[in-house]
Amino acid sequence: MNIPDYIAFPETTRHAERLAVIFNKDALTYTQLFAQSTNTAFMFKKSMNRGAIAAILAEPSVQYITTLLGGWMAGIIMMPLSTRLPLPTVQQRMQQVGCKSLITDNNDAHFPGIHTFNITSLNNAADPTNPIKLQTDFPATLIFTSGSTGNPKAVMHTLSNHLYNALGSNANIPVQQGDRWLLSLPMYHVGGIAPLFRCFLAGAAVVLPNSDEPLESLIKNKSITHISLVSTQLARMLTNPDAVSALQSLKAILLGGSAIPASLIDQAIAYNLPIHTSYGSTEMASQITTTQSCADAKELSTSGRLLPHRGLSFSDQGEIRVKGKTLFKGYFDQHGILGAVDQDGWFHTGDRGYLDEKGCLNVTGRLDNMFISGGENIQPEEIERCIEQIKGITQCIVVPIPDDEFGERPVAFLQYSDNPVKETIIRLHLEQDLEKFKHPVRFYPWPEQTGNGLKINRGLLKQLALKNS
């Protein structure tokens, strides 16, 4: 299937009276969603020129979805921002890309030279007479990278990028009419945007979470069939029997965001959960590889097979390179689009990996995480995977600290499921699997603040390690 240049999106002819968006007691059919989004598009056209950028700083709501769709109908580039950001950082992000319009539910979010709209009032236009089609190859979103390996960059995608990502995902994890995907990841993250396209292509519904209601209650009360989770969310849920029961009722659990600890995968398998491990990136509009349904433990320890509409290769150094119809247009700032591919069109991810005999991707770590200790290369992720096999340790992050004799030595931050594991037990396990120079010289408890909730900020952990060394 190829994506046409223009589409009536969401599709109303096949799915007209099916539910499209559900939030608390509010629910919109596809016909209602299309009408409200078209209303919003007319409001955008009155106040912004085609190609303008509009930032969204708001909590998830029905209006959030209709604002996104209405903006795309009007040819506006939508830029979701985290509501966790301090307002000065919000202003900095907008300045970074030359954004002059802000759509928000925050009454304190006002900046000089910025046209601010209340997200509710933007969705209160009169009914338009003519529906609007969307141009799929036009820039649609600016989504910031996590910034875990440097300053956050604004990634530009077209609607076509998002739609092809959804087509490839749906070919592997089926979504059909009547299914409901819970948007458990934030809308400012590519993993939070992607389910919109998966559901809208299939005539399924997206369900927006209520921050006051636990995920397990939402799954049961809203008849959820699909969910996306990061490892931290899954680990928390597996400590609660009610949450485990809720997860067992699902058709699919898509795991991503970072490497999934082996102990967590073993727990999920023991509970017979329908998990899919994956590898993706903001630059590729979400998933690149994903495991298939009913994958065994060996396959679930990988990131799965390449999905349709993507390409994958490796450099001589083992760096993962990607291309395809989901690949972003480039990084964007106020000066324009910055190209990010090599002469053959490959995007270099900065991750190392290889394909196994079954064609599954194994990600071994980040190139920029590797460090040298006494002349030996150390890949922190190898040590982390080893330590995470120990019962009672749910997560491990290894970072280097300076050393006068060896240059750098590894230290480890450990998260426990309950009581701390004795260091003697950890060292006995390490002696069985890893060379001595890879053994951490110190072990620290898991800090309260480690990143943005989706990815670990290794730079922050390095700073903490230096303070404690």
Side-chain angles (χ1 to χ4, degrees):
M1 177 180 176
N2 288 320
I3 300 297
D5 293 337
Y6 291 86
I7 57 171
F9 179 70
E11 175 71 64
T12 58
T13 55
R14 291 180 296 157
H15 315 310
E17 300 312 313
R18 293 191 175 276
L19 290 179
V21 180
I22 301 168
F23 179 58
N24 291 336
K25 295 181 180 180
D26 296 332
L28 295 182
T29 65
Y30 275 90
T31 296
Q32 292 168 331
L33 177 61
F34 191 82
Q36 290 195 23
S37 301
T38 307
N39 294 345
T40 304
F42 276 79
M43 290 289 286
F44 271 118
K45 286 191 169 187
K46 289 179 181 178
S47 54
M48 295 184 208
N49 294 324
R50 182 175 178 81
I53 302 168
I56 309 181
L57 183 71
E59 297 298 332
S61 65
V62 172
Q63 288 77 24
Y64 199 117
I65 305 297
T66 55
T67 296
L68 281 175
L69 291 171
W72 295 332
M73 289 176 176
I76 305 301
I77 304 169
M78 308 305 293
M79 185 172 74
L81 293 176
S82 170
T83 54
R84 297 179 179 182
L85 291 174
L87 291 181
T89 305
V90 170
Q91 185 178 18
Q92 186 274 326
R93 296 276 170 89
M94 295 179 69
Q95 291 172 342
Q96 182 176 333
V97 300
C99 177
K100 300 295 183 183
S101 298
L102 175 65
I103 301 159
T104 185
D105 57 8
N106 185 341
N107 293 329
D108 295 325
H110 291 279
F111 309 112
I114 300 298
H115 191 183
T116 303
F117 302 85
N118 182 281
I119 194 167
T120 303
S121 63
L122 190 65
N123 284 267
N124 287 334
D127 287 341
T129 55
N130 298 311
I132 305 173
K133 291 187 176 182
L134 292 85
Q135 184 177 343
T136 56
D137 64 350
F138 197 79
T141 56
L142 287 176
I143 299 175
F144 280 89
T145 60
S146 64
S148 57
T149 58
N151 293 326
K153 299 175 183 177
V155 172
M156 176 175 280
H157 291 116
T158 64
L159 277 181
S160 183
N161 294 148
H162 290 295
L163 288 166
Y164 275 113
N165 193 287
L167 282 173
S169 176
N170 288 0
N172 183 59
I173 303 176
V175 182
Q176 60 189 16
Q177 292 182 357
D179 284 344
R180 297 182 175 189
W181 199 304
L182 180 61
L183 298 189
S184 49
L185 300 181
M187 298 291 290
Y188 58 83
H189 186 272
V190 73
I193 291 281
L196 294 178
F197 295 90
R198 298 174 199 146
C199 289
F200 291 163
L201 284 176
V206 292
V207 180
L208 298 168
N210 183 330
S211 59
D212 297 329
E213 188 172 0
L215 290 180
E216 58 266 25
S217 297
L218 280 164
I219 291 171
K220 292 183 177 180
N221 295 338
K222 298 298 184 183
S223 302
I224 302 301
T225 58
H226 296 68
I227 193 171
S228 305
L229 296 174
V230 295
S231 60
T232 303
Q233 290 173 309
L234 179 61
R236 289 171 181 166
M237 294 185 76
L238 292 188
T239 63
N240 180 347
D242 289 338
V244 172
S245 176
L247 291 171
Q248 288 171 332
S249 71
L250 297 170
K251 291 183 178 180
I253 302 168
L254 178 61
L255 300 176
S258 61
I260 310 299
S263 60
L264 192 57
I265 293 175
D266 291 340
Q267 276 187 281
I269 292 172
Y271 285 124
N272 199 28
L273 300 185
I275 62 170
H276 297 259
T277 53
S278 68
Y279 171 70
S281 71
T282 304
E283 289 84 355
M284 285 288 281
S286 187
Q287 298 168 78
I288 300 167
T289 64
T290 305
T291 54
Q292 298 175 320
S293 298
C294 301
D296 59 21
K298 184 177 180 181
E299 182 173 338
L300 288 170
S301 69
T302 74
S303 296
R305 295 173 173 84
L306 186 68
L307 297 177
H309 312 298
R310 290 93 161 146
L312 180 68
S313 70
F314 301 90
S315 72
D316 293 340
Q317 293 74 39
E319 182 179 12
I320 300 169
R321 301 180 297 193
V322 291
K323 63 164 53 171
K325 293 183 178 180
T326 72
L327 183 63
F328 72 137
K329 303 296 289 184
Y331 297 114
F332 186 85
D333 65 17
Q334 58 185 319
H335 304 296
I337 298 176
L338 307 174
V341 298
D342 64 21
Q343 61 183 5
D344 297 316
W346 292 103
F347 173 71
H348 294 236
T349 64
D351 295 318
R352 299 177 69 180
Y354 64 91
L355 293 179
D356 63 20
E357 68 280 359
K358 292 187 176 180
C360 291
L361 177 65
N362 290 256
V363 182
T364 56
R366 291 282 305 175
L367 286 172
D368 49 14
N369 286 343
M370 190 180 73
F371 60 94
I372 298 175
S373 180
E376 300 281 0
N377 291 342
I378 292 182
Q379 191 71 49
E381 291 87 349
E382 180 188 11
I383 307 171
E384 292 161 10
R385 285 192 293 270
C386 178
I387 292 176
E388 286 170 352
Q389 293 172 359
I390 301 171
K391 186 177 180 180
I393 297 178
T394 57
Q395 199 161 8
C396 169
I397 293 293
V398 172
V399 295
I401 58 171
D403 184 90
D404 291 339
E405 182 179 358
F406 296 97
E408 289 183 309
R409 296 293 291 133
V411 299
F413 288 86
L414 303 178
Q415 185 180 58
Y416 306 102
S417 57
D418 192 6
N419 296 320
V421 177
K422 291 182 179 180
E423 185 173 324
T424 53
I425 294 176
I426 299 173
R427 294 205 176 278
L428 282 172
H429 180 81
L430 287 167
E431 287 174 3
Q432 296 173 13
D433 293 322
L434 293 180
E435 302 97 318
K436 187 72 174 179
F437 69 86
K438 295 179 182 177
H439 295 194
V441 294
R442 295 189 188 90
F443 298 96
Y444 299 119
W446 198 257
E448 291 184 6
Q449 184 63 36
T450 56
N452 64 359
L454 298 175
K455 285 192 176 182
I456 302 300
N457 188 326
R458 290 179 182 268
L460 176 62
L461 294 185
K462 284 182 182 180
Q463 294 175 18
L464 291 175
L466 284 173
K467 289 180 181 179
N468 294 325
S469 63

